[in-house]
Amino acid sequence: MSDLPLIQADRAVPPPAATTSTGGRGRRLRLLSRTDRVVITLMVLVPLLLVVGLIWLPAVATVLLSGTNWDGIGPVSEIDWVGLKNYDDVVNIYPPFVPAVQNNLLWLAALFVVATPFGMFLAVLLDKEIRGSRFYQTALYLPVVLSLALIGFVWQLIYSRDQGLLNAVLGTQTDWYGDSNVNIWAVLFAAGWRHVGYIMLLYLAGLKGVDPSLREAAAVDGSSETSTFFRVVFPVMRPINIIVLVVTVIESLRAFDLVWVINKGRNGLELLSALVTSNVVGEASRIGFGSALATIMLVVSLVFITLYLATVMREDRR
Amino acid sequence: MTATLTRTPPATAPDRPRRPVRPARVVLHLFLGAVAVGWLFPILWALLTSLRSYDYTARNGYVSLGGWTLDNYVTAWKTAEFGKHFLNSVYITVPAVLLTLFLASCVAFVIARFSWKLNIVLLGLFTAANLLPQQALLIPLFRLFTQVPLPAWMSDSELLYDSYWGLILVNVAFQCGFCVFVLSNYMKALPHELYEAAMVDGASVWRQYWQVTMPLCRPALAALATLEVTWIYNEFFWATVLMRTGDKFPVTSSLNNLRGEFFTDNNLVSAGSVLVAIPTLVIFFVLQKQFVRGLTLGASKG
């Protein structure tokens, strides 16, 4: 609910800002005509209403609904406040919850421990201005332009039990997407395939931004290429590292498309995002219960979003 | 191998004096080449499968050569009604991208041009909105969309739910944050003297935005447009949950319906996948520089 006062406060912003801010900027603001002020207000207000109305208010509503027993059918007046009961149910009597959390964590671990370092390693290699670098880069980030839903289909051609390449080559009969013991790994491989290219791209940009004199100084001091990277280059890329960390966490939390096109996130492919969706759009419309699941996602993501904002805003002030 | 390698530097020295061929480089190229080919492989495999007849591959297995045909594309195009779904994607993507860039540039301009106390809060509100998990907002949005009526000429469902308008709005709301973040950083780097000169000339705030700032932001806008077109075209979740009529699905979400129709014919699945991938691949190869710049603009200041 903290969003509402902001909208109102915003309308009143120009005059107080003009008096409180100091120096040239204050004078400049006072010079603004009435039309200019209206224009500025509209320029901020219209997009703000859209973002607050379609994102922030629903986020608050999700949290509020998670404390109710609303089934989505009866009138709002019949909603009962049930406190933390939904959370209790989610954790204790909802069988897919634990596998979903495990899979989300597995997703995070796979992207963070395998795909991200590999993407960074490739970026370091490609940063060395070698011939054909353009070709290598293009090949690596090509999957990034494909949607994750499409990636599900592309990999089906490799994973399919009867017509897939993998079984044809290995002579096995595994249903890579269907077998609940292996399908999460098959999906993670496909997700990692796309993630590596993205991370490589981010680090390539980060490495270009590192002051070359730092490396020269380290080389003069007799530091090897590897130790220069870990002791000098990597720490300097701190903002990029944090952005990559946040992107990875958020991507693993939001992971959805891939498992949804395969089997709607069932039978071994449970994810929090898929559970929320099937609780709302599917047969059972359990609003309060689904909201409790959604709130868990929201809280985890907000922790990392705050970290992200703190990083980029600090960069901003420099 | 080693002998030739040690002998080559003097021979090639006149051409590339600073780069003698070293074994380490050869290993590097072999490694990167192998990774690159491995990375392209799934896409090439889809392409290859799509060009072969189902009967031939069923008889000889997929690890074989032959049975070349374009029939899969014809069949896929007809059964899946790709023409219609591509058009749906255009109806959603084009207005959404234009609206996102327009609204985001307005906010970014105000954030970059005027320094108010709430600037940082505004920037945070927009940027964070882009990072929230969409599924966490689904429940209230779903309820909201099924309550908001639209006139029949706007949507035959007469609701925001199951209409192009709803999808356009939700995509704009989500993508605004990223664009505000990138554009405000870009605009902050513009020289302040420009605006002082504009003020002296008596230019209104709107002219400072539209005629001074926007032309200078063309590179950033182009990069963002490229990226947003691919993202919104690729958007799967909102279209899946906020649309009901199969005919109105954009092409990415219609994929899910296709599988039911194609279920055992992987050659058709691959032809369908290639068709869906073509627009993004064309954008990627034609506007690669813009695409990459857009992605990295968000990560570091470009």
Side-chain angles (χ1 to χ4, degrees), chain A residues 194-235:
Chain A
R194 186 175 189 269
H195 195 70
V196 166
Y198 188 24
I199 297 300
M200 181 209 70
L201 205 61
L202 291 181
Y203 271 117
L204 217 45
L207 286 166
K208 287 210 179 85
V210 173
D211 187 354
S213 61
L214 279 176
R215 284 185 221 214
E216 279 158 28
V220 170
D221 288 347
S223 164
S224 78
E225 225 173 310
T226 321
S227 78
T228 306
F229 178 76
F230 282 108
R231 300 224 179 126
V232 180
V233 178
F234 189 76

mmCIF file of all heavy atoms in Angstrom, chain A residues 194-235:
data_model
loop_
_atom_site.group_PDB
_atom_site.id
_atom_site.type_symbol
_atom_site.label_atom_id
_atom_site.label_comp_id
_atom_site.label_asym_id
_atom_site.label_seq_id
_atom_site.Cartn_x
_atom_site.Cartn_y
_atom_site.Cartn_z
ATOM 1 N N ARG A 194 21.371 -21.862 -22.989
ATOM 2 C CA ARG A 194 21.012 -20.491 -23.307
ATOM 3 C C ARG A 194 21.705 -19.515 -22.353
ATOM 4 O O ARG A 194 22.156 -18.451 -22.766
ATOM 5 C CB ARG A 194 19.496 -20.343 -23.188
ATOM 6 C CG ARG A 194 18.951 -19.019 -23.623
ATOM 7 C CD ARG A 194 17.436 -19.103 -23.562
ATOM 8 N NE ARG A 194 16.802 -17.947 -24.153
ATOM 9 C CZ ARG A 194 16.473 -16.873 -23.456
ATOM 10 N NH1 ARG A 194 16.747 -16.810 -22.178
ATOM 11 N NH2 ARG A 194 15.871 -15.859 -24.051
ATOM 12 N N HIS A 195 21.794 -19.894 -21.094
ATOM 13 C CA HIS A 195 22.330 -18.990 -20.075
ATOM 14 C C HIS A 195 23.808 -18.659 -20.329
ATOM 15 O O HIS A 195 24.235 -17.528 -20.124
ATOM 16 C CB HIS A 195 22.151 -19.633 -18.695
ATOM 17 C CG HIS A 195 22.334 -18.683 -17.557
ATOM 18 N ND1 HIS A 195 21.434 -17.682 -17.275
ATOM 19 C CD2 HIS A 195 23.311 -18.575 -16.635
ATOM 20 C CE1 HIS A 195 21.857 -17.009 -16.227
ATOM 21 N NE2 HIS A 195 22.989 -17.527 -15.821
ATOM 22 N N VAL A 196 24.574 -19.641 -20.766
ATOM 23 C CA VAL A 196 26.008 -19.437 -21.001
ATOM 24 C C VAL A 196 26.237 -18.273 -21.963
ATOM 25 O O VAL A 196 27.075 -17.392 -21.726
ATOM 26 C CB VAL A 196 26.662 -20.730 -21.547
ATOM 27 C CG1 VAL A 196 28.050 -20.449 -22.110
ATOM 28 C CG2 VAL A 196 26.749 -21.777 -20.448
ATOM 29 N N GLY A 197 25.462 -18.236 -23.048
ATOM 30 C CA GLY A 197 25.632 -17.180 -24.039
ATOM 31 C C GLY A 197 25.347 -15.799 -23.455
ATOM 32 O O GLY A 197 26.064 -14.835 -23.724
ATOM 33 N N TYR A 198 24.306 -15.742 -22.646
ATOM 34 C CA TYR A 198 23.905 -14.482 -22.035
ATOM 35 C C TYR A 198 25.000 -13.967 -21.096
ATOM 36 O O TYR A 198 25.407 -12.803 -21.144
ATOM 37 C CB TYR A 198 22.589 -14.729 -21.288
ATOM 38 C CG TYR A 198 21.902 -13.514 -20.734
ATOM 39 C CD1 TYR A 198 22.126 -12.259 -21.267
ATOM 40 C CD2 TYR A 198 21.003 -13.626 -19.681
ATOM 41 C CE1 TYR A 198 21.481 -11.149 -20.764
ATOM 42 C CE2 TYR A 198 20.358 -12.529 -19.168
ATOM 43 C CZ TYR A 198 20.601 -11.288 -19.709
ATOM 44 O OH TYR A 198 19.958 -10.195 -19.193
ATOM 45 N N ILE A 199 25.485 -14.872 -20.239
ATOM 46 C CA ILE A 199 26.527 -14.491 -19.290
ATOM 47 C C ILE A 199 27.801 -14.077 -20.014
ATOM 48 O O ILE A 199 28.451 -13.092 -19.658
ATOM 49 C CB ILE A 199 26.809 -15.672 -18.332
ATOM 50 C CG1 ILE A 199 25.556 -15.987 -17.503
ATOM 51 C CG2 ILE A 199 27.995 -15.386 -17.427
ATOM 52 C CD1 ILE A 199 25.063 -14.847 -16.652
ATOM 53 N N MET A 200 28.145 -14.831 -21.061
ATOM 54 C CA MET A 200 29.340 -14.491 -21.827
ATOM 55 C C MET A 200 29.257 -13.065 -22.355
ATOM 56 O O MET A 200 30.196 -12.293 -22.279
ATOM 57 C CB MET A 200 29.502 -15.472 -22.986
ATOM 58 C CG MET A 200 30.725 -15.197 -23.800
ATOM 59 S SD MET A 200 30.518 -15.705 -25.512
ATOM 60 C CE MET A 200 29.344 -14.513 -26.114
ATOM 61 N N LEU A 201 28.065 -12.730 -22.855
ATOM 62 C CA LEU A 201 27.842 -11.400 -23.409
ATOM 63 C C LEU A 201 28.020 -10.320 -22.335
ATOM 64 O O LEU A 201 28.682 -9.307 -22.556
ATOM 65 C CB LEU A 201 26.406 -11.375 -23.937
ATOM 66 C CG LEU A 201 26.075 -10.402 -25.032
ATOM 67 C CD1 LEU A 201 26.908 -10.719 -26.246
ATOM 68 C CD2 LEU A 201 24.600 -10.523 -25.368
ATOM 69 N N LEU A 202 27.450 -10.562 -21.157
ATOM 70 C CA LEU A 202 27.547 -9.572 -20.078
ATOM 71 C C LEU A 202 29.000 -9.387 -19.651
ATOM 72 O O LEU A 202 29.470 -8.267 -19.474
ATOM 73 C CB LEU A 202 26.700 -10.002 -18.873
ATOM 74 C CG LEU A 202 25.189 -9.985 -19.048
ATOM 75 C CD1 LEU A 202 24.497 -10.418 -17.763
ATOM 76 C CD2 LEU A 202 24.704 -8.599 -19.438
ATOM 77 N N TYR A 203 29.725 -10.509 -19.517
ATOM 78 C CA TYR A 203 31.119 -10.388 -19.082
ATOM 79 C C TYR A 203 32.008 -9.796 -20.164
ATOM 80 O O TYR A 203 32.961 -9.078 -19.866
ATOM 81 C CB TYR A 203 31.663 -11.743 -18.635
ATOM 82 C CG TYR A 203 31.403 -11.990 -17.172
ATOM 83 C CD1 TYR A 203 30.600 -13.022 -16.742
ATOM 84 C CD2 TYR A 203 31.960 -11.151 -16.220
ATOM 85 C CE1 TYR A 203 30.348 -13.235 -15.400
ATOM 86 C CE2 TYR A 203 31.718 -11.345 -14.876
ATOM 87 C CZ TYR A 203 30.906 -12.388 -14.470
ATOM 88 O OH TYR A 203 30.672 -12.565 -13.149
ATOM 89 N N LEU A 204 31.695 -10.089 -21.414
ATOM 90 C CA LEU A 204 32.474 -9.501 -22.498
ATOM 91 C C LEU A 204 32.382 -7.979 -22.431
ATOM 92 O O LEU A 204 33.377 -7.266 -22.588
ATOM 93 C CB LEU A 204 31.938 -10.025 -23.836
ATOM 94 C CG LEU A 204 32.932 -10.313 -24.941
ATOM 95 C CD1 LEU A 204 34.143 -11.060 -24.444
ATOM 96 C CD2 LEU A 204 32.244 -11.099 -26.045
ATOM 97 N N ALA A 205 31.174 -7.492 -22.158
ATOM 98 C CA ALA A 205 30.990 -6.049 -22.000
ATOM 99 C C ALA A 205 31.744 -5.558 -20.772
ATOM 100 O O ALA A 205 32.393 -4.515 -20.802
ATOM 101 C CB ALA A 205 29.516 -5.712 -21.881
ATOM 102 N N GLY A 206 31.673 -6.340 -19.699
ATOM 103 C CA GLY A 206 32.356 -5.954 -18.471
ATOM 104 C C GLY A 206 33.867 -5.887 -18.662
ATOM 105 O O GLY A 206 34.530 -4.956 -18.218
ATOM 106 N N LEU A 207 34.422 -6.875 -19.359
ATOM 107 C CA LEU A 207 35.870 -6.927 -19.567
ATOM 108 C C LEU A 207 36.352 -5.764 -20.424
ATOM 109 O O LEU A 207 37.435 -5.223 -20.201
ATOM 110 C CB LEU A 207 36.256 -8.248 -20.243
ATOM 111 C CG LEU A 207 36.199 -9.480 -19.335
ATOM 112 C CD1 LEU A 207 36.269 -10.759 -20.160
ATOM 113 C CD2 LEU A 207 37.345 -9.434 -18.332
ATOM 114 N N LYS A 208 35.522 -5.369 -21.394
ATOM 115 C CA LYS A 208 35.912 -4.225 -22.240
ATOM 116 C C LYS A 208 35.994 -2.952 -21.412
ATOM 117 O O LYS A 208 36.711 -2.028 -21.762
ATOM 118 C CB LYS A 208 34.900 -4.053 -23.374
ATOM 119 C CG LYS A 208 35.032 -5.130 -24.434
ATOM 120 C CD LYS A 208 34.627 -4.614 -25.799
ATOM 121 C CE LYS A 208 34.785 -5.697 -26.847
ATOM 122 N NZ LYS A 208 33.601 -6.565 -26.900
ATOM 123 N N GLY A 209 35.220 -2.918 -20.309
ATOM 124 C CA GLY A 209 35.205 -1.718 -19.488
ATOM 125 C C GLY A 209 36.345 -1.652 -18.477
ATOM 126 O O GLY A 209 36.508 -0.655 -17.802
ATOM 127 N N VAL A 210 37.142 -2.734 -18.386
ATOM 128 C CA VAL A 210 38.238 -2.731 -17.407
ATOM 129 C C VAL A 210 39.404 -1.916 -17.963
ATOM 130 O O VAL A 210 39.822 -2.106 -19.101
ATOM 131 C CB VAL A 210 38.689 -4.176 -17.099
ATOM 132 C CG1 VAL A 210 39.920 -4.175 -16.219
ATOM 133 C CG2 VAL A 210 37.563 -4.937 -16.423
ATOM 134 N N ASP A 211 39.904 -1.016 -17.154
ATOM 135 C CA ASP A 211 41.000 -0.145 -17.559
ATOM 136 C C ASP A 211 42.237 -0.979 -17.937
ATOM 137 O O ASP A 211 42.778 -1.711 -17.099
ATOM 138 C CB ASP A 211 41.317 0.782 -16.371
ATOM 139 C CG ASP A 211 42.337 1.839 -16.736
ATOM 140 O OD1 ASP A 211 42.870 1.763 -17.861
ATOM 141 O OD2 ASP A 211 42.579 2.724 -15.898
ATOM 142 N N PRO A 212 42.708 -0.867 -19.203
ATOM 143 C CA PRO A 212 43.832 -1.705 -19.647
ATOM 144 C C PRO A 212 45.100 -1.450 -18.837
ATOM 145 O O PRO A 212 45.942 -2.347 -18.693
ATOM 146 C CB PRO A 212 44.051 -1.302 -21.105
ATOM 147 C CG PRO A 212 42.922 -0.430 -21.476
ATOM 148 C CD PRO A 212 42.220 0.022 -20.249
ATOM 149 N N SER A 213 45.252 -0.243 -18.294
ATOM 150 C CA SER A 213 46.495 0.053 -17.575
ATOM 151 C C SER A 213 46.629 -0.806 -16.317
ATOM 152 O O SER A 213 47.738 -1.086 -15.864
ATOM 153 C CB SER A 213 46.547 1.538 -17.212
ATOM 154 O OG SER A 213 45.468 1.857 -16.366
ATOM 155 N N LEU A 214 45.463 -1.243 -15.774
ATOM 156 C CA LEU A 214 45.502 -2.133 -14.607
ATOM 157 C C LEU A 214 46.232 -3.429 -14.946
ATOM 158 O O LEU A 214 47.071 -3.913 -14.191
ATOM 159 C CB LEU A 214 44.085 -2.474 -14.160
ATOM 160 C CG LEU A 214 43.352 -1.450 -13.302
ATOM 161 C CD1 LEU A 214 41.938 -1.911 -13.050
ATOM 162 C CD2 LEU A 214 44.102 -1.260 -11.991
ATOM 163 N N ARG A 215 45.877 -3.977 -16.123
ATOM 164 C CA ARG A 215 46.494 -5.236 -16.534
ATOM 165 C C ARG A 215 47.972 -5.043 -16.837
ATOM 166 O O ARG A 215 48.800 -5.877 -16.500
ATOM 167 C CB ARG A 215 45.818 -5.757 -17.794
ATOM 168 C CG ARG A 215 44.483 -6.369 -17.519
ATOM 169 C CD ARG A 215 43.988 -6.948 -18.792
ATOM 170 N NE ARG A 215 42.576 -6.659 -18.893
ATOM 171 C CZ ARG A 215 41.702 -7.463 -19.453
ATOM 172 N NH1 ARG A 215 42.115 -8.579 -20.005
ATOM 173 N NH2 ARG A 215 40.444 -7.169 -19.488
ATOM 174 N N GLU A 216 48.273 -3.917 -17.498
ATOM 175 C CA GLU A 216 49.674 -3.668 -17.829
ATOM 176 C C GLU A 216 50.492 -3.572 -16.549
ATOM 177 O O GLU A 216 51.571 -4.138 -16.444
ATOM 178 C CB GLU A 216 49.789 -2.372 -18.636
ATOM 179 C CG GLU A 216 49.458 -2.576 -20.099
ATOM 180 C CD GLU A 216 49.036 -1.288 -20.789
ATOM 181 O OE1 GLU A 216 49.470 -0.202 -20.373
ATOM 182 O OE2 GLU A 216 48.239 -1.394 -21.748
ATOM 183 N N ALA A 217 49.943 -2.863 -15.578
ATOM 184 C CA ALA A 217 50.655 -2.714 -14.305
ATOM 185 C C ALA A 217 50.889 -4.080 -13.665
ATOM 186 O O ALA A 217 51.982 -4.384 -13.191
ATOM 187 C CB ALA A 217 49.858 -1.826 -13.361
ATOM 188 N N ALA A 218 49.851 -4.922 -13.706
ATOM 189 C CA ALA A 218 49.987 -6.255 -13.110
ATOM 190 C C ALA A 218 51.027 -7.072 -13.867
ATOM 191 O O ALA A 218 51.820 -7.801 -13.272
ATOM 192 C CB ALA A 218 48.636 -6.963 -13.123
ATOM 193 N N ALA A 219 51.042 -6.927 -15.215
ATOM 194 C CA ALA A 219 52.006 -7.674 -16.021
ATOM 195 C C ALA A 219 53.424 -7.212 -15.717
ATOM 196 O O ALA A 219 54.356 -8.016 -15.618
ATOM 197 C CB ALA A 219 51.695 -7.501 -17.501
ATOM 198 N N VAL A 220 53.598 -5.914 -15.539
ATOM 199 C CA VAL A 220 54.924 -5.372 -15.209
ATOM 200 C C VAL A 220 55.397 -5.934 -13.870
ATOM 201 O O VAL A 220 56.559 -6.280 -13.689
ATOM 202 C CB VAL A 220 54.874 -3.822 -15.169
ATOM 203 C CG1 VAL A 220 56.161 -3.260 -14.581
ATOM 204 C CG2 VAL A 220 54.635 -3.271 -16.566
ATOM 205 N N ASP A 221 54.442 -6.073 -12.958
ATOM 206 C CA ASP A 221 54.790 -6.640 -11.647
ATOM 207 C C ASP A 221 55.044 -8.134 -11.702
ATOM 208 O O ASP A 221 55.278 -8.758 -10.663
ATOM 209 C CB ASP A 221 53.650 -6.382 -10.643
ATOM 210 C CG ASP A 221 53.600 -4.917 -10.252
ATOM 211 O OD1 ASP A 221 54.572 -4.213 -10.571
ATOM 212 O OD2 ASP A 221 52.598 -4.487 -9.657
ATOM 213 N N GLY A 222 54.925 -8.733 -12.885
ATOM 214 C CA GLY A 222 55.221 -10.153 -13.043
ATOM 215 C C GLY A 222 54.087 -11.076 -12.656
ATOM 216 O O GLY A 222 54.295 -12.264 -12.413
ATOM 217 N N SER A 223 52.882 -10.545 -12.634
ATOM 218 C CA SER A 223 51.746 -11.396 -12.295
ATOM 219 C C SER A 223 51.338 -12.210 -13.526
ATOM 220 O O SER A 223 51.328 -11.708 -14.641
ATOM 221 C CB SER A 223 50.588 -10.488 -11.840
ATOM 222 O OG SER A 223 49.380 -11.181 -11.839
ATOM 223 N N SER A 224 50.999 -13.462 -13.306
ATOM 224 C CA SER A 224 50.585 -14.308 -14.434
ATOM 225 C C SER A 224 49.189 -13.911 -14.888
ATOM 226 O O SER A 224 48.460 -13.224 -14.177
ATOM 227 C CB SER A 224 50.606 -15.775 -14.030
ATOM 228 O OG SER A 224 49.458 -16.059 -13.270
ATOM 229 N N GLU A 225 48.818 -14.375 -16.093
ATOM 230 C CA GLU A 225 47.527 -13.991 -16.637
ATOM 231 C C GLU A 225 46.383 -14.430 -15.717
ATOM 232 O O GLU A 225 45.438 -13.689 -15.482
ATOM 233 C CB GLU A 225 47.360 -14.643 -18.013
ATOM 234 C CG GLU A 225 46.823 -13.672 -19.052
ATOM 235 C CD GLU A 225 46.821 -14.283 -20.434
ATOM 236 O OE1 GLU A 225 47.856 -14.833 -20.869
ATOM 237 O OE2 GLU A 225 45.770 -14.230 -21.066
ATOM 238 N N THR A 226 46.504 -15.660 -15.197
ATOM 239 C CA THR A 226 45.441 -16.181 -14.339
ATOM 240 C C THR A 226 45.327 -15.375 -13.059
ATOM 241 O O THR A 226 44.233 -14.971 -12.656
ATOM 242 C CB THR A 226 45.726 -17.655 -13.979
ATOM 243 O OG1 THR A 226 46.255 -18.295 -15.118
ATOM 244 C CG2 THR A 226 44.473 -18.349 -13.522
ATOM 245 N N SER A 227 46.461 -15.121 -12.421
ATOM 246 C CA SER A 227 46.357 -14.415 -11.145
ATOM 247 C C SER A 227 45.978 -12.964 -11.372
ATOM 248 O O SER A 227 45.315 -12.362 -10.530
ATOM 249 C CB SER A 227 47.639 -14.559 -10.330
ATOM 250 O OG SER A 227 48.620 -13.697 -10.820
ATOM 251 N N THR A 228 46.355 -12.386 -12.526
ATOM 252 C CA THR A 228 45.892 -11.033 -12.829
ATOM 253 C C THR A 228 44.382 -11.017 -12.904
ATOM 254 O O THR A 228 43.725 -10.125 -12.368
ATOM 255 C CB THR A 228 46.452 -10.544 -14.184
ATOM 256 O OG1 THR A 228 47.857 -10.678 -14.160
ATOM 257 C CG2 THR A 228 46.080 -9.096 -14.434
ATOM 258 N N PHE A 229 43.844 -12.057 -13.567
ATOM 259 C CA PHE A 229 42.389 -12.089 -13.701
ATOM 260 C C PHE A 229 41.710 -12.153 -12.340
ATOM 261 O O PHE A 229 40.820 -11.368 -12.040
ATOM 262 C CB PHE A 229 41.936 -13.260 -14.572
ATOM 263 C CG PHE A 229 40.439 -13.342 -14.690
ATOM 264 C CD1 PHE A 229 39.753 -12.466 -15.513
ATOM 265 C CD2 PHE A 229 39.718 -14.249 -13.932
ATOM 266 C CE1 PHE A 229 38.375 -12.498 -15.606
ATOM 267 C CE2 PHE A 229 38.322 -14.288 -14.011
ATOM 268 C CZ PHE A 229 37.665 -13.401 -14.852
ATOM 269 N N PHE A 230 42.159 -13.100 -11.515
ATOM 270 C CA PHE A 230 41.450 -13.287 -10.247
ATOM 271 C C PHE A 230 41.736 -12.191 -9.228
ATOM 272 O O PHE A 230 40.888 -11.849 -8.423
ATOM 273 C CB PHE A 230 41.768 -14.663 -9.656
ATOM 274 C CG PHE A 230 41.001 -15.747 -10.346
ATOM 275 C CD1 PHE A 230 41.635 -16.638 -11.192
ATOM 276 C CD2 PHE A 230 39.627 -15.853 -10.182
ATOM 277 C CE1 PHE A 230 40.916 -17.633 -11.840
ATOM 278 C CE2 PHE A 230 38.902 -16.834 -10.833
ATOM 279 C CZ PHE A 230 39.547 -17.726 -11.666
ATOM 280 N N ARG A 231 42.964 -11.628 -9.282
ATOM 281 C CA ARG A 231 43.298 -10.642 -8.256
ATOM 282 C C ARG A 231 42.990 -9.220 -8.684
ATOM 283 O O ARG A 231 42.762 -8.359 -7.842
ATOM 284 C CB ARG A 231 44.793 -10.743 -7.921
ATOM 285 C CG ARG A 231 45.164 -12.108 -7.410
ATOM 286 C CD ARG A 231 46.069 -11.995 -6.207
ATOM 287 N NE ARG A 231 46.395 -13.327 -5.729
ATOM 288 C CZ ARG A 231 47.619 -13.746 -5.550
ATOM 289 N NH1 ARG A 231 48.635 -12.949 -5.820
ATOM 290 N NH2 ARG A 231 47.839 -14.953 -5.091
ATOM 291 N N VAL A 232 43.022 -8.957 -9.987
ATOM 292 C CA VAL A 232 42.836 -7.568 -10.429
ATOM 293 C C VAL A 232 41.536 -7.393 -11.216
ATOM 294 O O VAL A 232 40.673 -6.607 -10.844
ATOM 295 C CB VAL A 232 44.044 -7.104 -11.291
ATOM 296 C CG1 VAL A 232 43.844 -5.662 -11.732
ATOM 297 C CG2 VAL A 232 45.334 -7.280 -10.529
ATOM 298 N N VAL A 233 41.383 -8.161 -12.298
ATOM 299 C CA VAL A 233 40.263 -7.918 -13.210
ATOM 300 C C VAL A 233 38.921 -8.270 -12.569
ATOM 301 O O VAL A 233 37.981 -7.480 -12.579
ATOM 302 C CB VAL A 233 40.464 -8.712 -14.527
ATOM 303 C CG1 VAL A 233 39.287 -8.492 -15.460
ATOM 304 C CG2 VAL A 233 41.759 -8.281 -15.193
ATOM 305 N N PHE A 234 38.849 -9.455 -11.983
ATOM 306 C CA PHE A 234 37.588 -9.914 -11.409
ATOM 307 C C PHE A 234 37.049 -8.967 -10.322
ATOM 308 O O PHE A 234 35.873 -8.594 -10.355
ATOM 309 C CB PHE A 234 37.749 -11.342 -10.878
ATOM 310 C CG PHE A 234 36.460 -11.979 -10.459
ATOM 311 C CD1 PHE A 234 35.568 -12.455 -11.406
ATOM 312 C CD2 PHE A 234 36.138 -12.099 -9.119
ATOM 313 C CE1 PHE A 234 34.368 -13.036 -11.023
ATOM 314 C CE2 PHE A 234 34.948 -12.681 -8.728
ATOM 315 C CZ PHE A 234 34.063 -13.156 -9.681
ATOM 316 N N PRO A 235 37.896 -8.556 -9.357
ATOM 317 C CA PRO A 235 37.377 -7.611 -8.354
ATOM 318 C C PRO A 235 36.926 -6.283 -8.949
ATOM 319 O O PRO A 235 35.951 -5.702 -8.481
ATOM 320 C CB PRO A 235 38.581 -7.403 -7.417
ATOM 321 C CG PRO A 235 39.463 -8.563 -7.645
ATOM 322 C CD PRO A 235 39.271 -8.979 -9.063
#
